[in-house]
Amino acid sequence: AFEPGHTCSPSLTTTMPGPDAPPGAPAPKQKKASFVVSVVCGGVAGSAAKTVTAPLERLRILRQVGAGGPPLDALRAVLEREGPAGLWAGNLANLARIFPARGIAFSTNDAVRSRFEVRTTAGGFAAGASAGLAATALTYPLDMIRGRQAGRVQTATTAKKPNFARALVAVWRTEGVAALYRGSAPTLIGSMPFEGIRFGVVEALSQRRRKKSRAESPPTAVVPPPQRRRSWTKAVDGGIAGAVAGVLTFPNDTIRRIMQTGDRGIGYFECAADILRTHGWRRFYFGLGPNLVRAVPSAAIQFGVFDWLKTRASTW
């Protein structure tokens, strides 16, 4: 039986009427979404979210690594030295990373939820943590290059930034393969709670909505909410989850970015201690404002678009 407000998962089979079906017509059955479909839907959703929020992401990274000053000053510097296109610097590398990363994350989350029949907040956290770990481990070198490109403002005296492929090869040749995984420890550490919190909060909100719906609906009501309303609800849940995860994991993300853009290789705890000793605890939260302005709509777009695409794909 369908549970109102239930999240989309590979094992979900519902009977939703098509958009052009006449009133009272039998609803077509949705097919089970495959792992590949989940990867593609997750990749498209993640790419759309990252492209829309790329300028805010650029300002956040500049603020985190201390390369651009306050957000408005950083914005002015980028526009003067690199033009409007500079706000999307590193976005191509970001999309090369985000498509497989979000595809792997969403599909792994769905696969774990389906395999273990996850229906609890703790289960949602565990599934999300597994998804974050898998996605990060497979795509980290792409994230490192993107962080380097977005964390520096081009000036008249600096050489033009190389494209993504050339930057990747240059790091490999001049610094070695290990450099491609610089900062990977905090990234891997942070990916599990970050994705765990996001998916866990979404699951908690869905659980709460399902309980409320069951309490308010008659026992025989089995008709799911319209797809448009469900996707908007999923987007709202995603935005809330993105805000919670962003605040709780931001200090770890700051350490990661500084390690990625630093000229000398230092360990995670050494970097954290150096930040605390030199700048104080507030330094860990530089860029939190732009991050939240970016993280909330980004997560909302990801979860909303993913839910919409998967539901549409299941009716093809």
Side-chain angles (χ1 to χ4, degrees):
F2 179 88
E3 294 182 85
H6 183 61
T7 53
C8 243
S9 72
S11 60
L12 180 64
T13 302
T14 64
T15 53
M16 293 173 52
D20 301 321
K29 230 176 209 187
Q30 289 187 338
K31 302 175 183 178
K32 186 183 293 185
S34 69
F35 185 83
V36 174
V37 169
S38 292
V39 171
V40 174
C41 292
V44 172
S47 298
K50 285 299 181 182
T51 299
V52 170
T53 60
L56 295 171
E57 174 81 351
R58 179 81 199 279
L59 296 180
R60 174 185 70 96
I61 294 177
L62 288 173
R63 179 63 171 158
Q64 274 186 303
V65 301
L72 290 180
D73 291 345
L75 175 62
R76 189 179 301 109
V78 171
L79 291 176
E80 289 178 353
R81 300 170 186 175
E82 302 178 24
L87 294 174
W88 278 266
N91 191 55
L92 180 60
N94 202 18
L95 293 183
R97 175 192 67 91
I98 207 63
F99 188 94
R102 299 319 304 162
I104 293 169
F106 274 103
S107 57
T108 301
N109 176 72
D110 273 0
V112 173
R113 286 173 53 83
S114 178
R115 174 65 179 82
F116 297 99
E117 299 183 355
V118 173
R119 295 292 184 273
T120 65
T121 300
F125 178 89
S130 301
L133 182 62
T136 301
L138 293 173
T139 61
Y140 182 77
L142 303 178
D143 181 58
M144 192 278 293
I145 295 298
R146 194 269 306 198
R148 283 197 175 190
Q149 289 188 326
R152 293 169 182 168
V153 179
Q154 185 176 325
T155 65
T157 59
T158 59
K160 186 178 180 181
K161 295 176 183 177
N163 62 33
F164 168 71
R166 290 179 179 175
L168 184 65
V169 173
V171 172
W172 182 14
R173 288 180 176 175
T174 60
E175 301 178 46
V177 176
L180 294 174
Y181 290 89
R182 183 177 298 162
S184 60
T187 303
L188 291 171
I189 292 171
S191 67
M192 292 190 289
F194 180 78
E195 294 297 349
I197 291 169
R198 291 213 312 175
F199 284 107
V201 169
V202 168
E203 179 62 30
L205 293 173
S206 297
Q207 287 280 345
R208 181 179 180 182
R209 191 172 295 106
R210 285 200 294 274
K211 291 179 181 178
K212 182 179 179 181
S213 181
R214 281 196 295 266
E216 296 177 351
S217 302
T220 56
V222 296
V223 180
Q227 167 59 27
R228 179 177 299 177
R229 190 178 78 190
R230 190 169 65 249
S231 294
W232 273 108
T233 299
K234 191 64 65 178
V236 172
D237 291 350
I240 295 172
V244 174
V247 171
L248 295 179
T249 63
F250 195 75
N252 177 78
D253 193 58
T254 296
I255 296 171
R256 175 173 71 102
R257 292 300 179 195
I258 291 176
M259 289 179 68
Q260 285 180 339
T261 57
D263 295 327
R264 60 191 184 93
I266 58 176
Y268 178 81
F269 294 105
E270 183 184 354
C271 181
D274 183 65
I275 293 172
L276 187 61
R277 181 175 56 255
T278 307
H279 305 285
W281 66 269
R282 294 178 185 274
R283 178 66 179 83
F284 290 107
Y285 291 92
F286 278 15
L288 177 60
N291 180 64
L292 291 179
V293 173
R294 174 204 64 84
V296 173
S298 177
I301 293 171
Q302 285 184 47
F303 280 91
V305 172
F306 177 74
D307 182 81
W308 184 84
L309 286 175
K310 270 197 64 179
T311 304
R312 298 294 296 179
S314 65
T315 61
W316 294 341

